[in-house]
Amino acid sequence: MKTNKHSFASRLITRTVLTTSIIFLATVSVIIFKGGPVMYDRAVEYSGQCLRASLLDVQTKISTIEAMASATVSTFEEHYNGNHIIDTAACYSLLRKTIENNTGIIGCGFFFEPHKYIRGNRFAGLYSTTALSGNSGEISTEWDDDISFAEDGYDYSEQEWYSLARESGKPIWISPFLEYIVTTDYQTLVSSYSYPVKDKNGDFIGIFAIDISLDWLYDKLVGIRPYEHSNVVLADNELNFICNPLSQNPYEGSMYDTPFVQEMDYTLDRSLTVNDLYFYEDNIGVTEISEGGDKAFLIFQEMENGWILCTASLYDDIFSDLIGLILLISTITVICLILMFIMSRRVIHKVSEPIRDFAEATSKITEGRFDVPIPQVNTKDELEELGNALIYMQESVTDYIARLKTTTAEKERLASELSVARGIQSKMLNTEFPEMEHAGLSASCIPAREVGGDLYDFFIDGKYLYFIVGDVSGKGVPAALLMAITIAAFRALNKKLHTMAEITGLINNTFCRSNREMMFVTTIVGRLDTETGELEICNGGHNPMMIVSPDGKASLYNAKHKNLACGIMEDFPYEGESLTLEKGSRLIVYTDGISEAENADKSQYGEPRLLEWGETCGPDVSDADAIESLISSVNTFTEDNEPNDDRTILCISLKG
């Protein structure tokens, strides 16, 4: 069944474009997160510079007025305290010169305490102005005395500009107010500067007041704008607007009730005061505001006279350049990604064409078509090395398959021969156990490979039962051949000789004469008188036999004589021994494939477990069942793992 596949070229293109997109997003993120604070700091710095420059200009004009007022008062006090004649004409002349030398002044005048200018007069005020003259630019004068007060009820001593300066004893600026100008027939914003006048004893004698027009402030503030939607306002120390260019009535309202931020209805909370505007060094404060989805920042700066200059700028204006840069980068990147996708698609498909050819050829090879041609490339790089490797692989696989066929055929032949050999070997083992009057007999041989080296054999001669159990060193075919020689020698010699030692010696000499591979066989050769229980044995280096007595106690019978295994030394003097078995006892002869059987932890079954099992095998258990029980016990211990050696058991029981 075919499955959906993505080509190498497609995946490479996708990952290339994806990686580039991630790099772009990371770059934009860095620009936003790093560039944003930088843009904000620069915006604050730029707005502050504009604010300071404008404040310096405003402060210069105000300082000029203050300096002129100080000079005028000094001149007046010098004459007043120097016994010079100070008359009204001289005062008006001084006032006229003050106005003529300062174009921003609407008017100025001296206003005295009772009886300080003319004895007997409570009011004495001299005022010169350009606001009342019918001819523009001419200076007119006013005179306030007790008579004029009686006519118009104007008590200058109760006015703010007079009373505050008198109480503080210092020059003060008065909050701006609207004044009607006759010469131009319109209202203008006016602020007054009051300067105390004192006698030679330092006692307060009056006020020198100057009225200046603030019309120039509107144009000045509008011209400051650091950004397109910025607004710059001027307020007094109570946050009442001196000028708010954003409002329809620029000279009315306050920061508490009149919006002063472009495109926002924001006003200050009435709980905030001038002291809450976060003034830092150089009397500058910065704060942020938000309304809905809009954000702005405010910069405040306090002037020397207590007025506050404030600039409000929208975040959209501050970051417009950054947003424009990001949009430009995004547009260029998208275009580049599209072009890169188109170009890389062509280039990568062209470059990866040999890979597709290699993949197709390899796929056909896996289907068994080993003669498929491998594309030739001359790229002088890894692709050429890959092509050469595929060609070498194809040749190697083809050669390997040819050799594998030959090897498989040979293995099949050997397997067939081994199967025949196993059949022959199994037939050499006596599997027909005769019924005897005084004894029982059973045996089993389980080879570890196709053919094994363990052996057993027996025959009956009258009341005698002759038997042999052996274990040829090694496994496989060589061991099977020596096993056959041993059985043949046992069968040929038993009827001619009388002792088991002599039989073992002749088997040994037969091995030694034809044993170039230096193999050996351990044996137990025995003859049992089934009527009396007398047993003659010769142990040629084999495992000890196990005897289970009629009362069910199992024990190992270790040979008295230490005989060598057959095949090690020719003409070795083997010695036999005799013992008598009780009626009802059982004799079990086994190979080391039983006692040395291993489990997964490489632990051996061992003789203690063998004895433990033997005590469960009473006289009521048949010999065949006893062998099956022992094999089951070994298999349980080894967890049915593959046997590490042949397993052979011969079981003989004397009937009680």
Side-chain angles (χ1 to χ4, degrees), residues 169-242:
K170 298 179 181 180
I172 60 171
W173 282 94
I174 306 302
S175 298
F177 57 91
L178 289 175
E179 178 72 34
Y180 183 77
I181 305 299
V182 176
T183 55
T184 55
D185 197 24
Y186 80 99
Q187 288 183 320
T188 184
L189 188 67
V190 176
S191 181
S192 297
Y193 181 67
S194 300
Y195 200 106
V197 181
K198 300 178 182 179
D199 60 15
K200 60 183 177 181
N201 296 321
D203 296 329
F204 179 81
I205 62 174
I207 290 293
F208 174 67
I210 298 177
D211 295 330
I212 62 172
S213 173
L214 298 179
D215 282 348
W216 56 275
L217 272 178
Y218 183 90
D219 296 333
K220 185 67 179 176
L221 297 182
V222 170
I224 292 175
R225 290 184 179 177
Y227 299 98
E228 180 180 359
H229 299 97
S230 297
N231 184 41
V232 182
V233 300
L234 184 65
D236 60 19
N237 56 8
E238 294 182 355
L239 302 183
N240 297 310
F241 285 126
I242 297 174

Side-chain angles (χ1 to χ4, degrees), residues 454-567:
D454 279 9
L455 62 103
Y456 73 85
D457 198 15
F458 61 88
F459 65 88
I460 299 173
D461 184 12
K463 65 176 182 177
Y464 294 102
L465 171 63
Y466 292 84
F467 65 88
I468 183 172
V469 174
D471 182 4
V472 181
S473 62
K475 302 176 184 66
V477 174
L481 293 175
L482 291 180
M483 165 261 196
I485 294 173
T486 304
I487 291 177
F490 171 74
R491 291 178 180 177
L493 297 173
N494 258 306
K495 295 180 180 181
K496 296 180 179 180
L497 301 173
H498 300 287
T499 67
M500 300 300 105
E502 291 175 334
I503 294 174
T504 304
L506 289 173
I507 293 174
N508 174 59
N509 291 337
T510 302
F511 257 81
C512 290
R513 294 190 187 103
S514 57
N515 188 14
R516 296 180 180 179
E517 291 79 12
M518 298 302 293
M519 299 177 70
F520 61 88
V521 58
T522 64
T523 60
I524 288 184
V525 181
R527 184 182 62 185
L528 174 66
D529 186 337
T530 59
E531 293 180 359
T532 62
E534 292 182 2
L535 175 64
E536 179 187 358
I537 64 169
C538 180
N539 189 326
H542 199 75
N543 302 77
M545 302 181 301
M546 183 170 69
I547 300 174
V548 181
S549 63
D551 59 0
K553 186 175 181 180
S555 62
L556 296 177
Y557 182 81
N558 292 303
K560 297 178 181 179
H561 304 288
K562 301 299 182 182
N563 296 320
L564 293 178
C566 297

